[in-house]
Amino acid sequence: MTNRRSFMEMGMALTAAAAAGPALAQSRRGVVLNIGLLGDIQTLNFWSSNDVNSAVLQESVMPRFGYMDANGNVKSTLIRNVEVKDKATTFIVSLTPDIKWHDGVPFTADDVIFTSEYLVKHKLFQNTRFSNVASVRKIDNLTVEFKLKAAQVGFMDVMMFWVSPMPKHRWEKVTAPMTLNDDAGGVTGLGPFKLTDWKKGQYYIVERNPDWPAALGRPAIDRIVYRVYKDDNSLVLALRTGEIDTTSRQFLPSMAAQFRKNPKYRIFEPASPGYSYIGFNGKKSEFAADVAVRKAIAHCIDRPKIVRLALEGAGVPMNGAVSPIYKDFVKSKIEYPAFNIEAAKKVLKDAGYADTDGDGIVEKNGKKLSMKMMYEGSRTDYDKSVRIIREDARQAGIELLLEPIDRQVYMDRQSKTKEYEMLFVQWGAIVVVYDSFYNLYGKEAFLNYSGFFDPDLEKWALDAKESATIAESIKPMDEAQKVVVNQIPTLSVWVPNLTFVANTKFDGYLPNPSSNNGAISMTSLLNLKLRGAK
């Protein structure tokens, strides 16, 4: 496949579960891999959610077009070849033959074309990956031609890495996709495993797909059981007792310490392309809509302290809108306002905020500067981070009311109902950063949860996305970053050091630099074998 240089050129260093699950797994024969999830899967409609647990299940039943290998190159199992023409404005995509959907219908060019058009039409997750497409046509059953409006060197990389194909025959009559969750009817996938049984909040079971082409690698695993746990402690206990073999949850140092010197476990530490951030929803809070308030809060983020205490030192501060792993894009050192409580107070004072009743919280127009910040309560690193931020913000006269909530509720409020004032969360992976930036801040972007719009940010982010070369994307990315650190629609906090743990029951884990699913990417699932098996 051509044109796979982009990731490398960017300098990427790249509560206990219910007992029903174990009983089901043990009552059947075959090789079983047990994977622990922290919290439930939000939905089985993978195109309506940016849910990391849904993404874990996707690896086995509904893989994306491509994946990133250990060297940072994007490769594909579903696509056999890509021909780049006309200075990166035309892409001829040849599909791998003999792939079938789980209901027996062949996977063809029609599905690829349908996916690209349907995501854009309904503004679903990853819709902006196709926003530069001028036309798409079918050459034959296994060949598609994309013509772009403007040159985009990373078009196929980001499409393959991020997008899962949609079965046209399953979705073409669905007119309200955000209301369809497939939780009753299951998933019409095309991966090496089929979803066969599940119980929300407890487990999801997938079985080996007999129609998966042998040329793509037949899994040695017969069955995978994804078990749901409500907190870190129950997840760690399940790994220690052998109830699960590995987990998609990254471990803090104190969690991983008990496994490091135990020969029965393996530690994987891939690079992290994701980061945590604070999001503001100006449509739900007049204070979140005030850039002066957002700047004051930026002055209240003591990143080194948060990394030291919340991540136990396992991470690095993220001072700008782009992760420091993308060296070419952070050379300009475009950073958020630095931690300075007195500066935060001055910003608020200059904007007309004052503490008139002496309670330590400033007011404006008779209203106290108070906002709610929601986050997943099951995440220890999130909880510690927001508590530190709350205490420092209070010193500046800002009241942050913490809302630790269930993961399912969090995901629904973040991406569907948009019922939040502030949020704290972590992106799993931001790759091909000059393209992903538009996916975060573009006017029609699914991941622009609050609907923030700035015309300059729209222009520069789009220019960066539609660059003919990576070098040409740096200047518009710098300009886009300037808008973000000045307007602060989001506020980055830290980049984690990823640590994943697995027992030694299986050999062949293949963690890669992009994985936000631990060491259980699809390439791992196709490669895993019982230890000692030939």
Side-chain angles (χ1 to χ4, degrees):
M1 183 174 298
T2 59
N3 190 32
R4 286 201 188 131
R5 301 176 301 117
S6 54
F7 288 104
M8 297 301 289
E9 289 181 0
M10 286 191 292
M12 183 174 181
L14 305 168
T15 17
L24 278 169
Q26 292 169 5
S27 66
R28 299 173 180 174
R29 296 178 180 178
V31 178
V32 180
L33 173 69
N34 292 281
I35 298 173
L37 302 176
L38 180 62
D40 201 3
I41 290 172
Q42 183 191 15
T43 177
L44 298 179
N45 173 359
F46 301 126
W47 304 275
S48 70
S49 171
N50 181 32
D51 172 30
V52 67
N53 281 351
S54 295
V56 174
L57 183 62
Q58 277 185 270
E59 292 291 315
S60 60
V61 303
M62 185 69 79
R64 296 162 293 181
F65 282 102
Y67 62 93
M68 187 186 291
D69 69 12
N71 296 316
N73 296 316
V74 177
K75 296 183 178 180
S76 179
T77 49
L78 305 183
I79 293 173
R80 181 171 55 181
N81 184 63
V82 174
E83 181 183 359
V84 184
K85 301 170 63 177
D86 304 328
K87 298 181 179 179
T89 60
T90 301
F91 294 79
I92 309 297
V93 180
S94 300
L95 303 181
T96 301
D98 302 322
I99 296 178
K100 296 179 181 179
W101 295 100
H102 290 163
D103 58 5
V105 175
F107 168 60
T108 70
D110 292 327
D111 297 306
V112 177
I113 294 171
F114 175 79
T115 300
S116 67
E117 295 176 339
Y118 194 88
L119 293 183
V120 173
K121 178 181 178 180
H122 294 281
K123 300 179 183 179
L124 297 180
F125 187 32
Q126 306 303 350
N127 64 319
T128 63
R129 308 305 180 189
F130 300 100
S131 60
N132 188 29
V133 174
S135 66
V136 55
R137 72 181 181 95
K138 176 180 176 180
I139 296 176
D140 59 44
N141 277 344
L142 293 176
T143 312
V144 177
E145 177 192 75
F146 287 97
K147 281 193 173 293
L148 308 186
K149 302 170 188 175
Q152 185 181 345
V153 64
F155 171 70
M156 280 306 301
D157 276 357
V158 296
M159 190 277 267
M160 289 193 299
F161 182 84
W162 284 114
V163 179
S164 292
M166 304 184 77
K168 179 181 178 181
H169 63 288
R170 172 70 177 86
W171 284 84
E172 61 184 338
K173 294 183 180 179
V174 177
T175 58
M178 287 296 288
T179 66
L180 180 67
N181 61 28
D182 264 352
D183 290 350
V187 175
T188 304
L190 82 169
F193 294 86
K194 295 181 178 183
L195 180 65
T196 58
D197 189 15
W198 67 97
K199 187 171 183 179
K200 292 287 287 182
Q202 295 187 18
Y203 62 85
Y204 298 79
I205 297 178
V206 301
E207 309 270 352
R208 185 167 57 182
N209 174 18
D211 291 331
W212 180 253
L216 298 181
R218 288 281 177 85
I221 298 168
D222 296 292
R223 184 175 301 107
I224 304 173
V225 181
Y226 299 89
R227 304 174 186 274
V228 178
Y229 298 87
K230 293 184 178 180
D231 55 55
D232 285 330
N233 290 333
S234 57
L235 194 66
V236 171
L237 179 61
L239 186 59
R240 287 178 57 191
T241 61
E243 186 171 271
I244 57 176
D245 300 303
T246 189
T247 171
S248 62
R249 168 75 165 102
Q250 65 197 54
F251 279 21
L252 290 171
S254 59
M255 296 163 58
Q258 58 194 293
F259 301 102
R260 282 195 178 274
K261 295 183 179 180
N262 191 328
K264 296 182 179 179
Y265 298 92
R266 292 174 180 161
I267 306 293
F268 303 98
E269 297 179 297
S272 172
Y275 58 87
S276 73
Y277 74 98
I278 296 169
F280 299 91
N281 189 353
K283 295 178 181 178
K284 294 297 179 181
S285 166
E286 62 183 283
F287 296 126
D290 189 343
V291 67
V293 172
R294 300 198 299 267
K295 287 183 177 179
I297 291 175
H299 278 303
C300 298
I301 309 301
D302 189 343
R303 292 174 178 83
K305 180 169 70 174
I306 296 170
V307 168
R308 185 176 72 255
L309 299 179
L311 295 188
E312 302 172 3
V316 295
M318 183 166 161
N319 299 313
V322 171
S323 171
I325 68 173
Y326 298 104
K327 295 180 174 56
D328 288 344
F329 293 90
V330 295
K331 288 180 179 177
S332 299
K333 294 189 178 299
I334 301 166
E335 299 181 346
Y336 293 105
F339 175 69
N340 187 323
I341 298 298
E342 294 306 313
K345 292 178 180 178
K346 185 177 186 306
V347 168
L348 294 174
K349 181 179 179 181
D350 292 346
Y353 291 85
D355 179 10
T356 60
D357 58 8
D359 69 347
I361 304 302
V362 299
E363 312 106 38
K364 188 175 182 179
N365 299 326
K367 297 180 180 179
K368 289 189 179 296
L369 205 177
S370 178
M371 287 186 288
K372 297 177 181 179
M373 181 156 59
M374 74 170 190
Y375 63 99
E376 293 177 40
S378 61
R379 288 283 298 259
T380 303
D381 47 355
Y382 289 4
D383 189 67
K384 291 181 179 179
S385 293
V386 296
R387 290 180 185 280
I388 293 168
I389 294 168
R390 178 187 62 180
E391 296 310 310
D392 286 335
R394 187 171 184 84
Q395 292 184 47
I398 303 168
E399 181 179 60
L400 298 181
L401 304 174
L402 304 186
E403 286 190 296
I405 57 179
D406 175 78
R407 189 173 186 282
Q408 187 83 16
V409 176
Y410 173 90
M411 293 301 303
D412 286 342
R413 287 172 59 179
Q414 177 196 51
S415 59
K416 293 185 178 181
T417 68
K418 312 295 176 71
E419 290 293 331
Y420 69 91
E421 297 179 350
M422 293 175 62
L423 57 78
F424 186 94
V425 72
Q426 177 184 338
W427 295 121
I430 299 296
V431 296
V432 189
V433 68
Y434 55 88
D435 175 275
S436 291
F437 221 67
Y438 189 76
N439 204 34
L440 303 180
Y441 302 111
K443 185 178 181 180
E444 302 294 335
F446 182 93
L447 295 184
N448 185 358
Y449 297 124
S450 68
F452 177 85
F453 175 74
D454 180 279
D456 289 332
L457 180 54
E458 179 80 8
K459 166 185 164 43
W460 291 117
L462 191 58
D463 284 353
K465 169 188 171 73
E466 296 178 356
S467 296
T469 67
I470 294 167
E472 291 176 27
S473 71
I474 294 176
K475 183 183 186 302
M477 271 298 295
D478 280 352
E479 296 301 322
Q481 289 181 76
K482 290 175 184 177
V483 178
V484 173
V485 301
N486 284 323
Q487 294 298 316
I488 316 179
T490 60
L491 187 56
S492 308
V493 182
W494 41 253
V495 178
N497 295 342
L498 297 182
T499 301
F500 298 102
V501 183
N503 63 28
T504 55
K505 177 180 175 181
F506 291 92
D507 286 327
Y509 286 102
L510 296 171
N512 59 57
S514 72
S515 179
N516 56 358
N517 301 325
I520 49 176
S521 61
M522 189 182 74
T523 50
S524 279
L525 298 179
L526 290 173
N527 195 59
L528 286 177
K529 294 179 176 62
L530 283 173
R531 191 175 190 185
K534 295 182 180 180

